[in-house]
Amino acid sequence: MSDVQKTSGDRDPTAVKSLLRDMAEKGGALVFGVASADDFAMAPEGYRPGDILPGARSVLVVGGAKPRAGDWQSPNYQHMELSSTNDRITALCMRLAHSVEREAGYYAVVVPPGVDEGQRPFLSLALAAELAGCGSRSLAGPVLHPRHGFMYFAALVTTLALPCDQPLAQPACPAPACVKMYKEQGATPCTATCPIDSGGCLGGHIENDRWSERQYDRARCMARVYNYWGPAFQKVMAEVLQEPDIERRQMMINSSLFTRTLWSMTYANINQGQCFECIRVCPVDEQTRHPGGARNEKED
Ligand code: SF4
Ligand code: SF4
């Protein structure tokens, strides 16, 4: 009998949660948290925990698999399109789901990492991570943890009622360094990199050290970000099918964009949703972005 099995037999939710947390951390998770399934009322109907699993009580969130220090330094940024994925953290979440079902004796469903109709996630991992206290949403889009910065998240929905965590009291964004820069220059590292008033996607105002106004041009960002993986495949194929010239068609199929797209699709079941340039300059986890800096981070 496993530890989870023994503990769940006693019906001690705190002890079961603690064992699941240990499993997650031993498996490489940097963060672990639990949100109540009832707290997703702001999610659209059809995209709440009970829509994935009837009788859902808790949503368990794990985060990790962040890019390594060297990845942020590499001038060949395209390699992130292949190497930076949520696969590892989703696989860990799957193992936790097996434990919840086989050992604790409750239903568990891993939230699919892809998207449903209209590019909408089956359940917002960002919302789940925020509610579970695993980070807070940044101006640049991703949920950031105050110490670990950007990472990938996975979540499982379960009928097991676990003690819940609370959202962070202090958001990770804007970081103190960003507030200082904003006061001096009227921009933060990410808004200076991708400024909405100069053809970019990000802008906003900081008051009392918090964002009082946020601007994010999602459509523009997506048009730039989705140039690899599944969406790029769809884009190139649509153009190839309409191209009457055989030689040009051949060139498009053999182009480096299409080749890289195919590599990224075969490498990962889902890829990142960022071009990374706004997060590359983000100072939140600056201390982990050099050799030895991540020494205190448990990582897979
Ligand atoms: S992901 Fe790229 S395009 Fe989108 S906001 Fe960040 S820097 Fe701009
Ligand atoms: S650089 Fe990072 S912390 Fe600073 S404002 Fe942008 S996303 Fe937020």
Side-chain angles (χ1 to χ4, degrees), residues 4-45:
V4 172
Q5 211 169 7
K6 282 185 217 148
T7 311
S8 63
D10 299 333
R11 294 288 187 267
D12 177 354
T14 304
V16 174
K17 179 181 173 185
S18 165
L19 287 164
L20 289 168
R21 179 193 295 278
D22 285 350
M23 279 180 63
E25 288 178 354
K26 280 183 192 146
L30 291 172
V31 294
F32 171 98
V34 175
S36 166
D38 295 337
D39 287 346
F40 286 74
M42 70 277 272
E45 218 173 298

Side-chain angles (χ1 to χ4, degrees), residues 284-299:
V284 168
D285 63 331
E286 201 280 328
Q287 78 282 2
T288 69
R289 292 194 185 184
H290 51 84
R295 198 166 284 140
N296 296 324
E297 283 189 315
K298 286 182 193 151
E299 185 57 289

Side-chain angles (χ1 to χ4, degrees), residues 138-140 144 172-175 178 188-190 211 278-279 281-284:
S138 65
L139 181 73
L144 301 179
C173 169
C178 302
T188 62
C190 62
W211 287 108
C278 47
I279 294 299
V281 294
C282 181
V284 168

Side-chain angles (χ1 to χ4, degrees), residues 236-244 249 252:
V236 176
M237 278 314 283
E239 285 179 25
V240 164
L241 291 172
Q242 283 170 15
E243 176 55 59
R249 243 182 6 230
M252 289 158 87

Side-chain angles (χ1 to χ4, degrees), residues 264-278:
S264 63
M265 283 171 64
T266 50
Y267 200 87
N269 76 41
I270 180 91
N271 217 294
Q272 86 279 358
Q274 292 276 312
C275 80
F276 278 117
E277 294 316 294
C278 47

Side-chain angles (χ1 to χ4, degrees), residues 13-299:
T14 304
V16 174
K17 179 181 173 185
S18 165
L19 287 164
L20 289 168
R21 179 193 295 278
D22 285 350
M23 279 180 63
E25 288 178 354
K26 280 183 192 146
L30 291 172
V31 294
F32 171 98
V34 175
S36 166
D38 295 337
D39 287 346
F40 286 74
M42 70 277 272
E45 218 173 298
Y47 296 88
R48 297 173 188 153
D51 297 314
I52 292 180
L53 179 63
R57 302 289 303 278
S58 314
V59 177
L60 190 155
V61 179
V62 282
K66 55 188 276 187
R68 296 174 202 283
D71 292 328
W72 293 116
Q73 295 297 316
S74 176
N76 183 354
Y77 63 87
Q78 286 96 339
H79 85 276
M80 293 260 241
E81 293 172 7
L82 297 178
S83 61
S84 194
T85 79
N86 72 349
D87 280 1
R88 284 173 289 153
I89 207 70
T90 304
L92 171 61
C93 198
M94 195 65 82
R95 293 206 295 279
L96 295 174
H98 284 318
S99 284
V100 170
E101 288 210 335
R102 293 177 185 167
E103 298 169 19
Y106 290 83
Y107 291 109
V109 174
V110 173
V111 176
V115 285
D116 196 8
E117 288 170 11
Q119 301 288 334
R120 184 174 272 177
F122 291 85
L123 183 141
S124 166
L125 291 177
L127 177 60
E130 283 193 296
L131 292 172
C134 292
S136 62
R137 219 175 295 233
S138 65
L139 181 73
V143 168
L144 301 179
H145 184 270
R147 186 153 78 90
H148 306 300
F150 170 84
M151 70 185 87
Y152 291 100
F153 291 100
L156 67 84
V157 180
T158 175
T159 51
L160 169 63
L162 290 167
C164 296
D165 296 291
Q166 295 300 313
L168 299 180
Q170 176 75 29
C173 169
C178 302
V179 174
K180 184 168 179 286
M181 178 172 165
Y182 183 84
K183 283 178 183 159
E184 291 163 4
Q185 302 173 31
T188 62
C190 62
T191 62
T193 295
C194 194
I196 199 158
D197 294 332
S198 310
C201 310
L202 301 172
H205 296 294
I206 294 177
E207 271 176 34
N208 299 323
D209 299 352
R210 299 268 177 115
W211 287 108
S212 59
E213 188 195 317
R214 294 163 175 258
Q215 293 168 293
Y216 172 50
D217 190 327
R218 184 180 297 277
R220 200 183 271 170
C221 175
M222 280 177 73
R224 290 170 185 181
V225 162
Y226 281 173
N227 286 311
Y228 47 82
W229 200 63
F233 180 84
Q234 290 165 310
K235 255 187 218 175
V236 176
M237 278 314 283
E239 285 179 25
V240 164
L241 291 172
Q242 283 170 15
E243 176 55 59
D245 186 293
I246 294 178
E247 270 186 37
R248 262 187 68 80
R249 243 182 6 230
Q250 200 70 39
M251 266 172 51
M252 289 158 87
I253 294 280
N254 291 323
S255 67
S256 52
L257 168 65
F258 199 58
T259 306
R260 208 166 66 237
T261 291
L262 292 173
W263 271 113
S264 63
M265 283 171 64
T266 50
Y267 200 87
N269 76 41
I270 180 91
N271 217 294
Q272 86 279 358
Q274 292 276 312
C275 80
F276 278 117
E277 294 316 294
C278 47
I279 294 299
R280 188 185 296 277
V281 294
C282 181
V284 168
D285 63 331
E286 201 280 328
Q287 78 282 2
T288 69
R289 292 194 185 184
H290 51 84
R295 198 166 284 140
N296 296 324
E297 283 189 315
K298 286 182 193 151
E299 185 57 289

